[in-house]
Amino acid sequence: MDMLQDLESLQFEYGVPEEDRIWLYLQGRSRGLMIEACAHATFFCKLLYNLRASLNENQSSRHLSIGSLNSATPEEFKVGIIGGGHLGKQLAGTLLQLGPIPAESLRISTRRPETLGELQKLGIKCFYHNAGLVSWADVIFLCCLPSQLPNICLEIYTSLEKTSIVYSFVAAIPLPRLKLLLNHTNILRPQYQYGEDSVSVWGANKGVIAALQDPTILQATCPYSPAGGIILNIKWLEGVFYAALNICTARNMAHSQVLQLLSELFLSVHFEDCGKDTASCPKFQLTDFVSKAYGKNLSQERPFPWFDLTAVQLKETPFSQHLSSSPVLQDHLTHLYCASFGISLTKEQPVISTGFPSQ
């Protein structure tokens, strides 16, 4: 097969008429979107997995010693996927191979579980019971068709716990509508925009898992990178942070301890220069997440309030301003993202764009 890989007559483009080749860029765009969606979902799960691990480890002691994003061993972190189509299958494989999720902690609910034989061989439970999946999982990924979503929401909304995180890939259903359908506010929905087309970066002959082990492709998926022609709305990253705050609030953890924990978890990967100049290494402050007026009335022992993640992703927040005005924080988060996939960056490898999409 290696000998035939570059044979022109076996390439997808070979059978496409010359007048239709102007549309071939859509193939690369679709592939890039799939890779980015799986990468960002995997990164999100890695962060939550390790946050829960740190909360468990420090239940009796607040001495923090947090290493890489793959070093912790928390209580079971359960992930459910609704939808067994192309996206659902690719996401399950990526979480299993590149994420911290073992097969016994990953389940899929789909109308045709018999088509997921390969995933079942890997130990993933596949069945058709959406409400049962939701009542079991900590994070639920919606990978269904827009036409299926209203009925699915009707099935699952009574099974959602307040702490359940719903992560929707259904781009056609906006957040306000999804909030109404689920009667739930703990929802994340990444939004992608198309910029200048540079689709060759996505590696036409690589699967999603192999692509995310390629440093060039992995860096193109970075939340701040416009490479590859696909740009992630940075409001998603804000939602990730506020989701982390909600997890800590559910544990009734004092906000001062939360800030210390998140600083060590999310800002622990950085340039070597930070060791020489600690003043340049950022730490989270209370007013990074809440208004100054609210912060003045919040005692050290009180937890953060519960945040509506749909509102966080639709409106300006204190963290919006903090992210956009702090290149140092952007650098640290970029390094965190790449390091979570085993890619180390140097100062000679900038991946951050100069402009950050807020819509």
Side-chain angles (χ1 to χ4, degrees):
M1 290 303 297
D2 290 339
M3 295 173 61
L4 300 177
Q5 180 174 324
D6 296 322
L7 191 63
E8 183 180 355
S9 61
L10 293 182
Q11 303 304 308
F12 174 81
E13 296 85 353
Y14 184 78
V16 179
E18 190 67 34
E19 62 271 18
D20 293 333
R21 294 199 172 196
I22 59 172
W23 303 110
L24 286 175
Y25 77 94
L26 293 174
Q27 182 190 27
R29 177 179 285 184
S30 175
R31 175 176 169 73
L33 192 58
M34 176 70 71
I35 293 172
E36 291 223 5
C38 290
H40 299 150
T42 301
F43 174 67
F44 175 66
C45 285
K46 284 172 179 280
L47 291 186
L48 291 200
Y49 179 96
N50 284 276
L51 175 60
R52 286 165 58 98
S54 299
L55 289 171
N56 294 334
E57 291 171 358
N58 294 286
Q59 195 70 35
S60 57
S61 171
R62 296 303 174 187
H63 176 69
L64 302 175
S65 180
I66 301 170
S68 73
L69 282 178
N70 301 301
S71 62
T73 307
E75 64 184 25
E76 187 180 18
F77 175 56
K78 297 165 290 188
V79 175
I81 299 173
I82 295 181
H86 187 50
L87 175 57
K89 288 187 285 189
Q90 293 291 336
L91 177 60
T94 305
L95 289 174
L96 192 60
Q97 297 296 323
L98 301 182
I101 314 300
E104 60 269 19
S105 298
L106 181 59
R107 297 180 183 178
I108 302 176
S109 176
T110 176
R111 292 182 298 174
R112 298 185 61 194
E114 69 276 6
T115 64
L116 304 181
E118 292 300 317
L119 292 176
Q120 294 185 62
K121 289 177 183 178
L122 296 174
I124 299 174
K125 289 186 177 181
C126 303
F127 49 82
Y128 183 36
H129 195 320
N130 294 331
L133 180 81
V134 167
S135 63
W136 170 83
D138 299 303
V139 175
I140 303 99
F141 288 99
L142 299 179
C143 302
C144 57
L145 296 173
S147 60
Q148 299 170 336
L149 190 60
N151 285 336
I152 288 174
C153 290
L154 191 61
E155 291 178 47
I156 69 174
Y157 81 96
T158 56
S159 299
L160 286 168
E161 300 287 344
K162 182 179 181 180
T163 54
S164 302
I165 299 175
V166 177
Y167 192 114
S168 176
F169 285 113
V170 188
I173 307 298
L175 272 171
R177 174 66 173 161
L178 192 55
K179 176 181 178 179
L180 183 64
L181 287 171
L182 290 172
N183 190 28
H184 194 65
T185 63
N186 222 25
I187 304 172
L188 282 174
R189 176 178 169 268
Q191 296 184 64
Y192 298 94
Q193 297 175 340
Y194 299 114
E196 295 181 6
D197 288 304
S198 179
V199 297
S200 61
V201 72
W202 300 116
N205 296 318
K206 292 183 178 180
V208 172
I209 295 171
L212 290 176
Q213 294 173 310
D214 182 316
T216 300
I217 296 176
L218 190 279
Q219 289 181 48
T221 70
C222 177
Y224 289 116
S225 174
I230 300 174
I231 303 170
L232 172 68
N233 187 330
I234 214 63
K235 295 295 287 183
W236 170 85
L237 190 58
E238 293 179 41
V240 169
F241 277 92
Y242 281 100
L245 293 180
N246 280 349
I247 290 174
C248 296
T249 297
R251 302 274 187 121
N252 203 34
M253 188 176 185
H255 76 267
S256 56
Q257 296 171 341
V258 173
L259 292 170
Q260 180 187 0
L261 177 61
L262 296 193
S263 292
E264 298 207 21
L265 267 178
F266 291 169
L267 305 178
S268 60
V269 181
H270 46 72
F271 289 125
E272 293 181 0
D273 292 356
C274 289
K276 302 173 184 177
D277 183 13
T278 56
S280 68
C281 196
K283 300 291 183 185
F284 290 125
Q285 307 296 325
L286 177 60
T287 52
D288 293 340
F289 299 104
V290 299
S291 67
K292 292 181 179 179
Y294 186 92
K296 286 181 180 179
N297 297 317
L298 194 65
S299 64
Q300 291 291 318
E301 297 76 23
R302 288 187 59 190
F304 277 100
W306 185 266
F307 294 101
D308 179 340
L309 298 189
T310 63
V312 165
Q313 294 166 87
L314 293 171
K315 300 177 181 179
E316 190 79 3
T317 68
F319 198 57
S320 305
Q321 302 168 11
H322 184 50
L323 263 181
S324 62
S325 64
S326 177
V328 175
L329 178 59
Q330 295 162 12
D331 277 341
H332 279 68
L333 297 181
T334 298
H335 280 267
L336 174 71
Y337 178 83
C338 292
S340 72
F341 290 95
I343 304 296
S344 298
L345 294 179
T346 65
K347 281 205 171 184
E348 288 70 39
Q349 294 176 289
V351 297
I352 296 179
S353 63
T354 55
F356 306 99
S358 60
Q359 298 296 328

